[in-house]
Amino acid sequence: MEAAALNVVSTINGYLSNYVLLILLVGTGLFFTIRTRGIQFRCFGEGWKRMFGGFSLRGGKQESGMSSFQALATAVAAQVGTGNIVGACGAIIAGGPGAIFWMWIIALLGMATNYAEAVLAQMTKVVDADGEVHGGPVYYIKAAFKGGFGKFLAGFFAVAIILSLGFMGCMVQSNSIASTMSTALGVAPWIIGIAVAALAAIVFVGGVSRIASVTEKLVPIMAIIYLVGGLVVLCSRIEAIPATFQLIFACAFNPEAYFGGAVGGIIAALTQGAKRGLFSNEAGMGSTPHAHALANVKDPHEQGVVAFVGVFVDTIIVVTMTALVVISAVYVQDGQINYDAYSMIAAAGIDKTSMAQFAFGTLFGSGFGNIFVAICLLFFAFSTILSWNLFAKINFIYLFGKKALPVFSVLAVLFVFLGSVLSNDLVWELQDMFNQLMVLPNAIALIAMSGAVASCAKAHGKKKSE
């Protein structure tokens, strides 16, 4: 039964990722890059200044919403997760090292899309009777399309994100935690699943303020630990770096020249880059706008430029670190390209979940390498569970009201546990399917509201020139 379900979901994902997703992601990113006159490039420095200007590990509880840095940390917590390690490795295995190049392209274009999402989320957010701030795609979808069509699209998005992030997405994260921790420590996955579910439940109960407090501390620390570990590995095999970059760029256009029929050609590299790029940085998916809507800023543009920094950190920095470590360890040997890499992968039983552990283990030893990746993945994935639960909860309230929240919370914790014991492939395919379904109404609304985004970017340009 599980195999049959996997086959059906994989077929649906094939059509979505090969056609719909690719066109929407690249097209929307390119569209907003042009409409905002390259906002992600001309305001790149401003984004970093605003991020560091609000940087704090103890931002404190806000009267409503979050501080700008807390919103960014919550968004990055969602972005920097399993996709940065397991997802990147899966893209490399299925699409070759060239998939990373296309992840970079998707991210650079997606920075403009994420700017648009954050700006519109700020423009359309609402405050309820209890003083709580709510915002995200359902609100700008209804602003873009009045009447029944807008309600339908908003409802479709809300259902998709609840299933994708609230339930299936948390399963992916706990699945990867359980798998890597089991490999590293020999603990049964179901035991790890119970522990993760219990910790998640404690934070869920605390609401927005507790999630913001946890993510603003967890995100900077976890990123620094992982990047430092990666740099140590890369410094130890500095001679492999030129061949590593050669593979990334060359395999983006002709992977068969290096690995023959082991990879699916440029289409596989491109679609894997698009699919894993979406799962990793979430630009255009409609998830992170929920966090950016909660930011207490004077102007939507301020959070817009902070938002695209999150995409850059996620893909251009963290995913690239994973890719360089893995490719230099598996696809390069003694500074030379390893043309038999896929035979080695098959012989060693390496998959997307264990590949990073193997790569770090080449320097740290299999024991410490497994533990290092497992701990990093635990932080990455757990922080993602927290953020995704918040995003799904906002949409659950939109559909069913606050009184139904206990039902959602119980189901969310149950799915966190179930993810630890289910098949890795089926969990990932289900997550991919609902991720891609979220893109459809979100991208349509973004394009429909592009005039407001362009006006915001243009107004900022005038202020700078005055």
Side-chain angles (χ1 to χ4, degrees):
M1 185 175 179
E2 190 171 307
L6 177 61
N7 184 54
V8 171
V9 176
S10 297
T11 301
I12 294 173
N13 283 343
Y15 284 104
L16 287 173
S17 60
N18 291 349
Y19 304 103
V20 179
L21 178 67
L22 186 59
I23 294 170
L24 276 178
L25 280 181
V26 176
T28 304
L30 186 60
F31 176 75
F32 277 107
T33 297
I34 294 171
R35 286 227 64 178
T36 62
R37 297 183 294 118
I39 192 76
Q40 70 270 47
F41 304 117
R42 62 188 178 87
C43 292
F44 185 74
E46 180 189 353
W48 284 94
K49 287 178 182 177
R50 290 195 180 278
M51 184 194 78
F52 284 114
F55 176 80
S56 174
L57 293 179
R58 46 187 177 85
K61 185 177 180 180
Q62 306 290 304
E63 291 184 7
S64 64
M66 303 178 180
S67 69
S68 180
F69 179 75
Q70 286 176 333
L72 175 65
T74 303
V76 173
Q79 294 165 315
V80 179
T82 301
N84 295 77
I85 300 179
V86 180
C89 292
I92 294 169
I93 291 175
I100 300 302
F101 172 84
W102 296 113
M103 288 183 76
W104 291 341
I105 299 301
I106 293 295
L108 291 174
L109 294 175
M111 288 168 69
T113 306
N114 206 212
Y115 172 85
E117 290 178 305
V119 165
L120 291 177
Q122 278 285 322
M123 288 180 173
T124 58
K125 65 182 180 181
V126 298
V127 181
D128 66 17
D130 297 327
E132 291 186 22
V133 180
H134 301 274
V138 292
Y139 297 96
Y140 58 70
I141 287 172
K142 290 178 67 177
F145 304 103
K146 307 297 182 182
F149 183 64
K151 290 181 179 178
F152 168 76
L153 280 184
F156 180 89
F157 177 87
V159 170
I161 194 172
I162 290 168
L163 293 173
S164 177
L165 305 190
F167 301 148
M168 303 301 169
C170 290
M171 291 173 70
V172 167
Q173 304 300 327
S174 62
N175 185 282
S176 296
I177 291 172
S179 179
T180 54
M181 293 297 286
S182 180
T183 299
L185 304 176
V187 180
W190 67 267
I191 295 177
I192 297 169
I194 290 176
V196 173
L199 287 172
I202 292 171
V203 183
F204 291 169
V205 170
V208 172
S209 61
R210 186 172 296 175
I211 290 174
S213 178
V214 172
T215 56
E216 72 177 345
K217 298 174 180 64
L218 195 57
V219 168
I221 294 171
M222 72 183 188
I224 290 170
I225 291 173
Y226 184 69
L227 293 175
V228 169
L231 284 173
V232 171
V233 174
L234 293 180
C235 288
S236 73
R237 57 169 68 100
I238 193 72
E239 77 286 349
I241 301 303
T244 297
F245 276 102
Q246 178 187 343
L247 279 174
I248 291 174
F249 287 104
C251 287
F253 302 96
N254 189 19
E256 299 102 318
Y258 294 87
F259 304 111
V263 290
I266 184 174
I267 297 300
L270 184 54
T271 55
Q272 285 296 320
K275 183 163 64 174
R276 292 302 164 216
L278 172 68
F279 183 83
S280 178
N281 61 55
E282 303 181 26
M285 195 168 82
S287 54
T288 60
H290 297 90
H292 294 301
L294 303 179
N296 295 317
V297 292
K298 296 179 180 178
D299 184 85
H301 170 81
E302 295 180 13
Q303 196 61 25
V305 295
V306 169
F308 66 57
V309 170
V311 177
F312 186 89
V313 169
D314 171 88
T315 304
I316 308 301
I317 296 179
V318 181
V319 165
T320 298
M321 181 60 71
T322 298
L324 294 179
V325 169
V326 166
I327 295 170
S328 66
V330 178
Y331 294 81
V332 178
Q333 289 187 345
D334 299 323
Q336 302 297 316
I337 295 171
N338 176 18
Y339 294 96
D340 296 321
Y342 280 91
S343 297
M344 186 191 80
I345 290 170
I350 298 171
D351 60 14
K352 61 189 176 187
T353 305
S354 61
M355 178 175 268
Q357 289 180 311
F358 172 84
F360 277 92
T362 57
L363 175 66
F364 297 146
S366 60
F368 184 75
N370 288 343
I371 293 173
F372 176 79
V373 174
I375 291 174
C376 289
L377 190 61
L378 171 63
F379 286 133
F380 283 7
F382 185 71
S383 65
T384 299
I385 288 173
L386 301 183
S387 294
W388 280 0
N389 177 266
L390 172 63
F391 303 161
K393 184 185 295 183
I394 291 170
N395 287 272
F396 194 87
I397 292 173
Y398 168 79
L399 289 178
F400 305 109
K402 291 183 179 180
K403 291 182 179 180
L405 272 181
V407 175
F408 170 78
S409 298
V410 170
L411 288 174
V413 173
L414 177 62
F415 272 86
V416 170
F417 169 73
L418 288 176
S420 67
V421 295
L422 288 183
S423 162
N424 184 284
D425 289 335
L426 178 59
V427 171
W428 273 87
E429 289 294 336
L430 284 168
Q431 169 68 20
D432 282 339
M433 183 177 73
F434 287 111
N435 274 0
Q436 293 170 125
L437 290 175
M438 285 168 58
V439 174
L440 302 177
N442 185 57
I444 293 171
L446 288 174
I447 293 171
M449 295 283 284
S450 62
V453 177
S455 295
C456 181
K458 185 177 180 181
H460 170 72
K462 286 184 176 179
K463 288 178 182 178
K464 287 189 70 174
S465 62
E466 291 175 355

